[in-house]
Amino acid sequence: MDTIGFSKHDHTVCIEDCVATIEAHCAEAGLQFTPTRRRVLEILLDQHKALGAYDILEVLRSEGLGSQPPVAYRALDFLVANGFAHKIEHLNAFIACCRPGQTHTAAFLICRMCKAVAEAPSTPARIALEGSAEAVGFSIEATVVEATGLCPNCA
């Protein structure tokens, strides 16, 4: 067992379960889960931390799956658009979603030392923000909640 995402779990099962869930979702929704998209997801799942597009491209290049930036960006765009990955704005990087295919609003806890990222539910924060926005007549279209600090391993 590894301490990933700030909690202990069987990492191999985590990857297998996530990929199987996304394969099933794509088949049901008629989405093309290409070998490159699958490999980019596996790279994100394997690391359990936010990775930049060029970090992913380096792995793809070493495996002969593409050497041009659009290869990684297209796969990442697909994964993010379908709720299989998230973009971490603070790091300009990407992380696999811990609840792929489910509609949810996540908050990201980012370790400032090791750059590990954990996804957490942000329902209370979202409700408070929506209430504040509504009070001033503002209509929220997108929300990103990111908090930086120290993970249990670095604290």
Side-chain angles (χ1 to χ4, degrees):
M1 296 262 216
D2 299 317
T3 302
I4 309 281
F6 311 155
S7 62
K8 291 188 181 284
H9 69 284
D10 185 332
H11 196 49
T12 303
V13 171
C14 159
I15 293 171
E16 291 169 358
D17 288 351
C18 188
V19 171
T21 297
I22 290 171
E23 281 179 335
H25 181 81
C26 287
E28 184 178 306
L31 300 171
Q32 291 186 350
F33 193 44
T34 65
T36 301
R37 291 171 175 173
R38 178 190 178 103
R39 185 63 191 127
V40 169
L41 175 68
E42 290 170 343
I43 292 165
L44 291 172
L45 288 166
D46 184 54
Q47 295 297 314
H48 262 302
K49 67 178 183 178
L51 295 173
Y54 283 90
D55 297 324
I56 294 165
L57 185 61
E58 189 175 310
V59 175
L60 293 175
R61 182 180 295 125
S62 73
E63 296 174 356
L65 293 173
S67 61
Q68 298 299 314
V71 171
Y73 281 111
R74 282 187 204 118
L76 289 165
D77 286 346
F78 171 84
L79 295 173
V80 170
N82 289 288
F84 307 142
H86 300 286
K87 183 171 184 185
I88 306 299
E89 300 293 336
H90 178 77
L91 301 173
N92 191 28
F94 299 85
I95 188 165
C97 179
C98 72
R99 298 188 314 178
Q102 298 178 21
T103 302
H104 65 285
T105 303
F108 301 99
L109 310 174
I110 306 163
C111 180
R112 65 178 168 78
M113 290 188 67
C114 71
K115 305 296 185 227
V117 178
E119 182 178 338
S122 70
T123 303
R126 188 189 81 230
I127 291 169
L129 187 57
E130 287 173 350
S132 296
E134 187 177 301
V136 297
F138 186 81
S139 176
I140 297 174
E141 295 177 348
T143 305
V144 177
V145 178
E146 298 179 357
T148 58
L150 293 174
C151 73
N153 292 332
C154 294

